[in-house]
Amino acid sequence: MSARSRILDAAMLVFRRHGFRRSSVEQAADAAGLTRQALYHHFDSKEALFRAVIARLHEDALAAEIEAADAAEKAGGSLADILVASVAAKLRQLAGSLDGSPHVEELFSEHLLQARDLYQKYAASHAEQLAAMIARVCRKQGLLLNAGLTPHALARCVEMAINGTKSAYPAMQPADAFLKDLEVMLRTLVAGAVSPAKSPRAAKAKPARNSTLLSTPRPTSRKSGDRR
């Protein structure tokens, strides 16, 4: 394990135990078995160390999302199955990294204060990953997006559903209840967003005329002068 990885592991433990405000570079250095000077060789401040921890959390979450989507797709899952699996894997990775910490809400808050640019960067990466997956699965499974939606627009709707569910579960806790409600939201969203593509052959086919009607002669009208 590299010195940088060892420092990040140690820093994560310190931040989980003490929160951001009460943590220090010295504590992280001690946890990593390094001197403060050795740690400063890699990170010049507590803020820089925290940002590096956050970046690694997002990288791990993105990797978990991609792996879960690939597994669900290979298993023949529906678009909703694949979407739920990938989103749940990402959020479980993020929530699990802080699970058990008494400072979860503070850490999420500081995450946005100290690393908002990182949050935006990885949010964009997640959106691109979702959009690419949606486009690929729709193409493979013969699905059409309804109401003029694009893969990117549906990915944005997914992000809004996640944020909406988060509002009912501060810091995504309890995680199981949060993910259960989110799954309901996502499946409902997909159900209204996609439909099976119509077969071109079926669309061109015209209903056959009834052969009995074709063979039945039309009645002829009598002229006024005709006799029975």
Side-chain angles (χ1 to χ4, degrees):
M1 181 184 293
S2 68
R4 180 184 175 86
S5 294
R6 192 164 80 249
I7 291 170
L8 291 178
D9 286 345
M12 187 70 227
L13 291 173
V14 169
F15 288 132
R16 281 168 53 100
R17 186 176 301 148
H18 303 290
F20 175 78
R21 299 184 190 94
R22 292 189 175 184
S23 295
S24 66
V25 169
E26 288 80 2
Q27 291 169 330
D30 287 344
L34 300 171
T35 64
R36 184 176 62 178
Q37 288 74 18
L39 191 147
Y40 275 127
H41 177 73
H42 296 275
F43 302 99
D44 59 8
S45 66
K46 181 175 76 170
E47 289 74 19
L49 181 57
F50 185 70
R51 283 174 59 84
V53 168
I54 294 300
R56 189 168 72 163
L57 289 182
H58 279 297
E59 288 288 349
D60 290 346
L62 184 59
E65 177 183 11
I66 294 171
E67 182 179 358
D70 287 345
E73 191 173 343
K74 288 176 181 176
S78 65
L79 176 60
D81 294 334
I82 299 166
L83 189 59
V84 167
S86 63
V87 170
K90 176 188 81 170
L91 296 176
R92 280 191 185 280
Q93 182 69 36
L94 288 172
S97 62
L98 301 176
D99 189 37
S101 171
H103 307 283
V104 172
E105 291 189 33
E106 179 204 341
L107 291 171
F108 273 109
S109 176
E110 289 294 334
H111 166 201
L112 295 178
L113 289 174
Q114 303 292 336
R116 181 171 292 276
D117 59 319
L118 292 177
Y119 173 82
Q120 293 170 339
K121 170 188 172 182
Y122 286 102
S125 296
H126 287 297
E128 286 298 322
Q129 160 64 18
L130 278 179
M133 180 272 287
I134 291 167
R136 183 177 65 251
V137 173
C138 285
R139 186 170 58 252
K140 284 184 176 181
Q141 298 187 2
L143 302 174
L144 290 177
L145 294 177
N146 298 329
L149 279 174
T150 65
H152 282 88
L154 181 53
R156 184 170 181 270
C157 290
V158 169
E159 187 62 29
M160 289 190 286
I162 295 171
N163 290 334
T165 310
K166 281 180 181 178
S167 67
Y169 294 89
M172 298 186 287
Q173 299 296 323
D176 288 341
F178 164 70
L179 291 172
K180 183 178 180 181
D181 281 358
L182 178 59
E183 178 175 354
V184 173
M185 291 281 287
L186 294 179
R187 290 189 181 278
T188 302
L189 175 62
V190 172
V194 301
S195 59
K198 294 181 180 179
S199 168
R201 183 174 299 177
K204 291 181 180 179
K206 294 182 179 180
R209 297 174 115 186
N210 190 304
S211 59
T212 303
L213 291 177
L214 288 172
S215 62
T216 303
R218 294 182 180 178
T220 58
S221 59
R222 286 199 183 98
K223 295 181 180 179
S224 58
D226 288 350
R227 295 180 180 179
R228 290 183 180 272

